[in-house]
Amino acid sequence: MRYQIFGSVMVLALAACSSPEEVKGRMAVESDDTASATAEKDSETPEKPDAPAESAEAVKFEDNEKDGEAERDFSYSWPKQVSAIPALAKILTEQRDKALAAQKKDWKESVDEYGPDGCVSCVMRDYQTTWKVVTDTPRFLSISSESYLYTGGAHGNTGTGGMVWDRKAGASMDARQMFTSASAFWGAAEAAYCSALNDERAERRGRPVQPDDYGSECPKFEELTLLAGSSNGKTFNRLGLIADPYVAGAYAEGPYEVTLPVTDAILGAVKAEYREFFSVK
């Protein structure tokens, strides 16, 4: 059994067995762990250079198991830029091991309950997470994750995440932490985001968004994944906002990703200590 992740747009079309909130909650564990890993450090702490990216290797970890008709697939990967930062690779390794242990336990319990040749969809498990580089600047490495989770039933679900590694601080953070507050950022970005989202919705649906459409409202900021990006490789000058399936439309529409340029208004919402690492595009 293998379910494929198709880049930014993943379209799967049946009714879910798990609620969107339940699935998103499971996938949010990694992001929550990441945010809690951020530590306050002396600003004068010397910056430790990463290992040369050329000598680092990308990691693709797999752990699969089969018992009769029962099958469990697990994969977790990250690029060489992550491997070049041992502390960051350690964080992802711990998250991977935690997810694998949880899947093994869940799968075994299902096999014990239904038998290896009983309810086939009840004893199938699949977990995939792929981390990719969003941008790599002298100070920061911004990465994003795409995940697929199947725990039985008609189909699984997908989710996204993001992380920014601060080389000087030697710590990870959510991109949200680079802004003075969620309300300050959203006040500067909401109108542009909602307009761009509706343009994409209209293109996928083949008509303008209607007030009574499922997914006609603009999502709340806390429902979105925020990614810090760059077109110049030096400063953050664009931001990605991803709405996972169900957040901005029907499941069959897949996730919605909107990229916004950093504007003067958005720059004004950046914390003072990070402002020099942003620029208006």
Side-chain angles (χ1 to χ4, degrees), residues 67-227:
D67 181 4
E69 294 295 324
E71 193 169 348
R72 178 186 64 77
D73 292 337
F74 184 97
S75 67
Y76 202 104
S77 61
W78 60 74
K80 63 182 182 180
Q81 289 88 340
V82 169
S83 297
I85 307 173
L88 176 55
K90 182 175 184 290
I91 290 173
L92 297 193
T93 298
E94 291 173 349
Q95 293 178 356
R96 178 197 70 193
D97 292 348
K98 181 178 179 181
L100 177 59
Q103 188 202 53
K104 284 183 174 182
K105 181 177 182 294
D106 177 51
W107 185 69
K108 184 179 184 305
E109 290 174 350
S110 295
V111 174
D112 289 345
E113 179 178 357
Y114 297 102
D117 300 307
C119 170
V120 176
S121 67
C122 301
V123 291
M124 293 292 187
R125 296 293 184 271
D126 196 353
Y127 180 101
Q128 302 175 39
T129 288
T130 302
W131 287 91
K132 299 178 181 179
V133 173
V134 178
T135 194
D136 191 359
T137 71
R139 171 78 179 260
F140 302 98
L141 175 65
S142 175
I143 56 177
S144 65
S145 68
E146 295 176 346
S147 295
Y148 176 85
L149 179 67
Y150 180 80
T151 57
H155 70 76
N157 206 351
T158 59
T160 56
M163 184 191 305
V164 176
W165 180 263
D166 184 340
R167 291 187 170 92
K168 184 174 178 61
S172 62
M173 72 178 92
D174 188 296
R176 285 172 167 77
Q177 293 174 259
M178 305 180 86
F179 295 90
T180 56
S181 68
S183 59
F185 170 78
W186 203 227
E190 182 179 13
Y193 168 77
C194 295
S195 176
L197 173 63
N198 276 340
D199 289 343
E200 179 62 24
R201 281 167 163 167
E203 183 174 341
R204 293 191 194 182
R205 298 172 187 177
R207 58 177 175 77
V209 176
Q210 305 298 316
D212 58 347
D213 284 348
Y214 176 87
S216 62
E217 296 181 354
C218 193
K220 299 176 182 178
F221 180 44
E222 56 266 27
E223 297 177 293
L224 307 174
T225 297
L226 177 65
L227 304 176

Side-chain angles (χ1 to χ4, degrees), residues 11-35:
V11 180
L12 299 170
L14 298 172
C17 289
S18 298
S19 70
E21 294 77 10
E22 180 185 1
V23 175
K24 192 169 181 63
R26 292 174 186 169
M27 291 182 169
V29 170
E30 291 184 2
S31 296
D32 292 343
D33 289 346
T34 295

